[in-house]
Amino acid sequence: MEDRVERWERRVEVPLLLLAVAFLVAYAWPVLDPRLDGSLVDGLAVLSWSVWAAFLLDFVVRVALARRRRHYVVHHWYDVALVALPMLRPLRLLRLVALARLLDRSARANLTGRVGIYVGAVLVSAVGLGALAVLDAEQDAPGATITGIGDALWWAVSTVTTVGYGDVYPVTTTGRFVGVALMVVGVAAVGIATALLAAWLITYLTAEEAEAELEAVEAAEAAEVAE
Amino acid sequence: MEDRVERWERRVEVPLLLLAVAFLVAYAWPVLDPRLDGSLVDGLAVLSWSVWAAFLLDFVVRVALARRRRHYVVHHWYDVALVALPMLRPLRLLRLVALARLLDRSARANLTGRVGIYVGAVLVSAVGLGALAVLDAEQDAPGATITGIGDALWWAVSTVTTVGYGDVYPVTTTGRFVGVALMVVGVAAVGIATALLAAWLITYLTAEEAEAELEAVEAAEAAEVAE
Amino acid sequence: MEDRVERWERRVEVPLLLLAVAFLVAYAWPVLDPRLDGSLVDGLAVLSWSVWAAFLLDFVVRVALARRRRHYVVHHWYDVALVALPMLRPLRLLRLVALARLLDRSARANLTGRVGIYVGAVLVSAVGLGALAVLDAEQDAPGATITGIGDALWWAVSTVTTVGYGDVYPVTTTGRFVGVALMVVGVAAVGIATALLAAWLITYLTAEEAEAELEAVEAAEAAEVAE
Amino acid sequence: MEDRVERWERRVEVPLLLLAVAFLVAYAWPVLDPRLDGSLVDGLAVLSWSVWAAFLLDFVVRVALARRRRHYVVHHWYDVALVALPMLRPLRLLRLVALARLLDRSARANLTGRVGIYVGAVLVSAVGLGALAVLDAEQDAPGATITGIGDALWWAVSTVTTVGYGDVYPVTTTGRFVGVALMVVGVAAVGIATALLAAWLITYLTAEEAEAELEAVEAAEAAEVAE
């Protein structure tokens, strides 16, 4: 039954989330401190690959448990990409998106409010992870202008808001892909937030009008009946 | 009859699309590989001009078949521009817009979804064709900063999202026209996408309210009748 | 009577518009061709000051004809600014806004369409006049990067779309004021266009729903009557 | 009673506002004129610290008067930040937000108009205070490009509109934080203004439709009754 997959996913959710946090640490530490002790770097690399192995194992188990295996693989193509491309290390940070479920549980408010919180959380995560990823890609590149976490965060914020000063900018292909991702996230987030606010304002403004209209209809009918 | 033009257009649609793809190859190849063998460059130029001749022939036939010829030419001024200005080579890539019809056939979903797909397709095409066109214009210009397809794509994305770092930028007049086109496409696409999302959200949010309102009216009427 | 002012305004509308066009020529010509013959430059300066005198005369007449003179002056503060500050030469180009009335007459379509045309016309005028004004301010400044009409137009477009590469940028205070005006116009125009499109889409999408709702109410009432 | 806090706040509102203006002067003067006489700089520093002391006293009194003190402190965390972090001097300018209350009193128009005025006032204040704060942070920094109030205002406007030329940009951490604040304010203000305009347009456009609909319902009912 498909239920077996769901039961497995529920059981491994928290361990996999902790592994993703461990991966974040193993990924961020050497990026932020390039003069880290060599043996510690090796240890973190081992941790990073162990997390990859755990993700691979989790995916193999889920495919094995699924009823319609080919269908399952096609519909979880992002998991395939995460596991099959070990060189796309920054992508693995997307595992942390699972944290959004925690957010979802704590903020079961109205649609507008919840999406607003999502947009904010996505923007903050995008800036944080984007800064890490671009620093990883750039800091040893020749001619790089992004050489510290301060520069990286400043660049990430000015990219996500589409300001784009150009005082610091990525020069490597990986760094530029991170930039494209941040631009897309930024433009989409601003558009979504604007649309949400407009929708909320209109439902708020028209609620009063609709009420007045309903009352008018009822009054007209009452007059009719009286007649 | 006007039908003759439509029958002709339906019959030559696929061949002209294949010719436009051939033109894309003939246009892109020498741009992407500037050290291409001279005889191959000549061959591609011949192919390019043959496509132009085919487009010209198609347009002449369509005008000949049309009932109100002057009216037809005025209403198809973009075809005139495509055919009459052989030096505006990048413009001819607009022929590929016909590919949108394929998209139209595969995605006959709701209005919002379809326009969303259109906007996405337009943005991706604009970045791809804009990068090609700017590279063609810039790569041999003195003082150019866009000298490879990587730079060109990076510039196109940062232009279409209105980020505009200014680490690379066009210096030729042709390249700047490509830039203006990309800016207009980007600003328009973001605005259209935001407006569409807002419209979809509002109809979704008000649908429930309208239902509740209708029920209230019906209940009031039922009470009236009972009375 | 206040009518006297209106009658005067109607009578001098076309002459003043022609004078504004003459001012545009007198303003633009020496800006676009800095090596213009000295005597021609002097002639254009005379023309420019004559236009100013005509505007001053027009304003004096209008104030004299007005019933409540102080009130009229306060409500036409932009005319006061245009006439009282001869050093703010680029501002006088705003006279050409009167051309919008022609636009208004030719495009009496629905609200959305008309405002859309307005926004487009404002953007095109802003780019054209902004490029002229910035070139006038910058072209003889030390360290200027905007030294030709091509640079000026490219800068104006990249400013109005908020791309802002920063490959060329104003260095004088006047040029920066032109830049601020272009930024404000650009941001406002994009926001207004997006809001208009959203409003049009929503009224279009809800029109069908409202119809369906109305039919349901009518059907319920017909059933009631039949009963 | 909680009323005691409100009575205190009403009584000290105007004095605190005057103190905030005094703080603005004491903050802005040495920033704008770096060659200010030493003894005057000292006097302004004393004034600045006196304002801080007055703010501290005001906050202590309010906490003392509050019924639920811990609750009050948690809900006024921005007051805590303002008072507890004397090194975050620019933050104290936020006190001037109290001026918005004056605005609120003078412009009690419809919702859309009032929020429009708020957005405009926030943008103008953000540019002014942001330019001051960035100039304070940057003007003595090595390698700074923002070295005068003209540069600072130009940078603030191009940041808040997300143009971001990058001809001048902050190099210090404090200056970059000011930049991030300006970007967030700019993006949010544009989004809010667009959403407001869309909402206003839609309620305006649908008002007529709703009226027509209501009339149709009434006409149908009148016909029914006549029958």
Side-chain angles (χ1 to χ4, degrees), chain A residues 111 155 159 162-166 169-170 176 179-180 183 187 191-192 194-196 198-199 202-203 210 213-214 218 221 225, chain B residues 150-151 154 157-158 161-168 190 194 197-198 201-202 204-206 209 213 216-217 220-221 224 227:
Chain A
L111 179 71
W155 169 82
T159 297
T162 78
V163 170
Y165 290 113
Y169 50 84
R176 284 176 170 183
V180 170
M183 289 174 205
V187 168
I192 289 168
T194 303
L196 271 168
I202 286 155
T203 49
E213 192 184 331
L214 182 59
E218 279 168 353
E221 276 158 8
V225 170
Chain B
D151 290 334
W154 170 244
V157 171
S158 81
T161 56
T162 79
V163 170
Y165 290 113
D167 55 340
V168 291
V190 170
T194 303
L197 185 60
L201 275 165
I202 287 155
Y204 176 83
L205 289 172
T206 52
E209 273 179 56
E213 194 184 330
V217 170
E221 277 159 8
E224 236 176 89
E227 235 181 274

Side-chain angles (χ1 to χ4, degrees), chain B residues 48-70:
Chain B
S48 176
W49 281 103
S50 309
V51 172
W52 173 77
F55 286 172
L56 177 61
L57 184 70
D58 164 59
F59 188 63
V60 167
V61 170
R62 280 190 288 152
V63 170
L65 290 176
R67 250 193 322 191
R68 295 159 60 204
R69 282 173 194 172
R70 189 168 306 181

Side-chain angles (χ1 to χ4, degrees), chain B residues 44 65-67 138 156 176 178 185 204:
Chain B
L44 291 171
L65 290 176
R67 250 193 322 191
E138 294 285 317
R176 283 177 171 183
V178 174
V185 166
Y204 176 83

Side-chain angles (χ1 to χ4, degrees), chain C residues 111 155 159 162-166 168-170 176 179-180 183 187 191-192 194-196 198-199 202-203 207 210 213-214 218 221 225, chain D residues 150-152 154 157-158 161-168 190 194-195 197-198 201-202 204-206 209 213 216-217 220-221 224 227:
Chain C
L111 180 71
W155 169 82
T159 298
T162 79
V163 170
Y165 291 113
V168 292
Y169 50 84
R176 283 176 170 183
V180 170
M183 289 174 205
V187 168
I192 289 168
T194 303
L196 270 168
I202 287 155
T203 48
E213 195 183 330
L214 181 60
E218 278 168 353
E221 278 159 6
V225 168
Chain D
D151 291 334
W154 170 244
V157 171
S158 81
T161 54
T162 78
V163 171
Y165 291 112
D167 54 340
V168 292
V190 169
T194 302
L197 184 61
L201 273 166
I202 287 156
Y204 176 84
L205 288 173
T206 53
E209 271 180 56
E213 194 184 331
V217 171
E221 277 159 8
E224 236 176 87
E227 234 180 272

